[in-house]
Amino acid sequence: MNLSGLDLNLVLSLRALLEERNVTRAGQRIGLSQPAMSAALARLRRHFDDELLSRVGGQYELTALGHALLDRTATACDLLERVFSSRADFVPDKEEREFTLLASDYAVAVFGAELVRTVHAEAPGVRLHFRRLPTDVTEDTATLLSTADGLLLPHGVISGFPTVELYADRWAFLVAETNDAVGDRLTMDDMAQLPWVIYQRTYDAPAARQLSMLGIEPRVQVSVDSFQTLPYLVAGTRRIALIQRRLAGLLSGVAAVRVMEPPYEAVPVQMALWWHPGHTHDAAHIWLRETAARVGAELTASKGGQRSGGRRHPGQG
């Protein structure tokens, strides 16, 4: 398709129409009169040879193509906004800009909080927006990355995109203080026999693969989409859970649990910032990556993931 023949303003109209499903509200949203929005809808219908919005009773519903275009149009608008907000240079203490990062609650707590402090000290006009990782992060990563400035994720989940290294962490186990089935050390038998709480996304895929290679199939009793809830779901039960050592330190004292070393050489967690190649030469993004790398290096120097002993509350090692 020849893009030179398209009116890109129609992309904004299309998004408003598909999301509002009402011509009047869509026009109000982007500052067009009702007749102008109706004319835009007519042009879009001719272009796609589809009604896009079909009247059912007293309201409009999306056609099959309308549903297919809904997410694509939002992505296209995000990309256009990023293209036209690009600058040749970036002066941190004078700029106003929002960066969107996709991250788990673990990454926000351990790395995001430190990044926010540094960014706001050096660039008070810069805002950071953290969005939760979607469950399909590995299915269409290119499209996902095109809608954000970066993805905070360890190695071993995605590949093939530019990345900058941040910091290392390691896995530990949570065991309830009252769980007398586990002694001073967790054993392979404990892992095989006790019920588990697990983080239900692909984020911990390398750790899950390693368990499978060791012949351990966790008896999953509870699955959650938040690492920070793990201590509460372990305390007072026979359950065990894998958690990152740095996060365990931050959650010190929130629940009556012990942090224990794995009874095997657990694969390390190497966190990185991943981004879409389209951001590589953007001055603002370069500043963001350099700042993230610096914060990551400071975390590494803090040695928050160093090995410690057996029977302890989170953070005491």
Side-chain angles (χ1 to χ4, degrees), residues 66-317:
H67 278 290
L69 290 172
L70 185 59
D71 290 339
R72 296 178 188 178
T73 304
T75 299
C77 288
D78 288 342
L79 283 171
L80 286 172
E81 184 176 345
R82 293 177 189 281
V83 167
F84 287 100
S85 65
S86 297
R87 301 279 297 277
D89 54 14
F90 186 79
V91 184
D93 60 349
K94 300 184 184 303
E95 302 285 350
E96 291 192 5
R97 168 80 183 255
E98 179 174 279
F99 293 102
T100 298
L101 296 174
L102 303 171
S104 68
D105 66 320
Y106 155 72
V108 174
V110 171
F111 177 78
E114 297 296 329
L115 181 64
V116 166
R117 280 190 278 272
T118 299
V119 166
H120 286 180
E122 300 177 7
V126 169
R127 302 177 305 279
L128 293 178
H129 176 207
F130 292 100
R131 279 178 20 210
R132 185 178 289 274
L133 282 171
T135 55
D136 58 353
V137 61
T138 60
E139 293 180 13
D140 192 358
T141 308
T143 298
L144 181 64
L145 285 175
S146 71
T147 67
D149 292 289
L151 175 62
L152 300 177
L153 200 65
H155 285 279
V157 181
I158 64 172
S159 61
F161 295 91
T163 184
V164 62
E165 303 302 321
L166 297 178
Y167 65 92
D169 206 342
R170 60 192 182 84
W171 293 106
F173 277 88
L174 294 181
V175 179
E177 285 282 6
T178 57
N179 189 349
D180 56 10
V182 179
D184 289 336
R185 294 183 179 277
L186 192 70
T187 68
M188 297 293 283
D189 285 342
D190 293 332
M191 292 170 52
Q193 295 172 12
L194 292 172
W196 286 59
V197 186
I198 65 166
Y199 181 80
Q200 64 186 15
R201 301 179 189 234
T202 56
Y203 181 94
D204 56 355
R209 286 196 296 269
Q210 184 178 21
L211 288 175
S212 179
M213 292 174 64
L214 291 171
I216 300 296
E217 294 296 333
R219 291 178 48 218
V220 178
Q221 196 171 77
V222 182
S223 62
V224 292
D225 65 355
S226 166
F227 283 110
Q228 295 188 53
T229 60
L230 293 176
Y232 302 101
L233 295 168
V234 168
T237 76
R238 289 171 52 83
R239 303 183 195 115
I240 60 174
L242 266 176
I243 192 171
Q244 302 88 346
R245 172 64 69 168
R246 291 181 185 273
L247 181 59
L250 291 178
L251 297 178
S252 174
V254 303
V257 295
R258 295 178 278 165
V259 177
M260 309 192 78
E261 295 298 330
Y264 58 95
E265 194 64 33
V267 59
V269 181
Q270 180 59 52
M271 288 295 294
L273 170 64
W274 307 78
W275 69 90
H276 192 282
H279 299 316
T280 298
H281 302 294
D282 178 65
H285 202 274
I286 291 172
W287 173 82
L288 175 67
R289 300 195 307 260
E290 290 177 345
T291 303
R294 179 157 40 92
V295 172
E298 292 169 356
L299 269 177
T300 298
S302 73
K303 301 185 184 300
Q306 287 290 325
R307 180 174 296 274
S308 60
R311 184 180 291 270
R312 301 176 181 224
H313 288 287
Q316 292 181 317

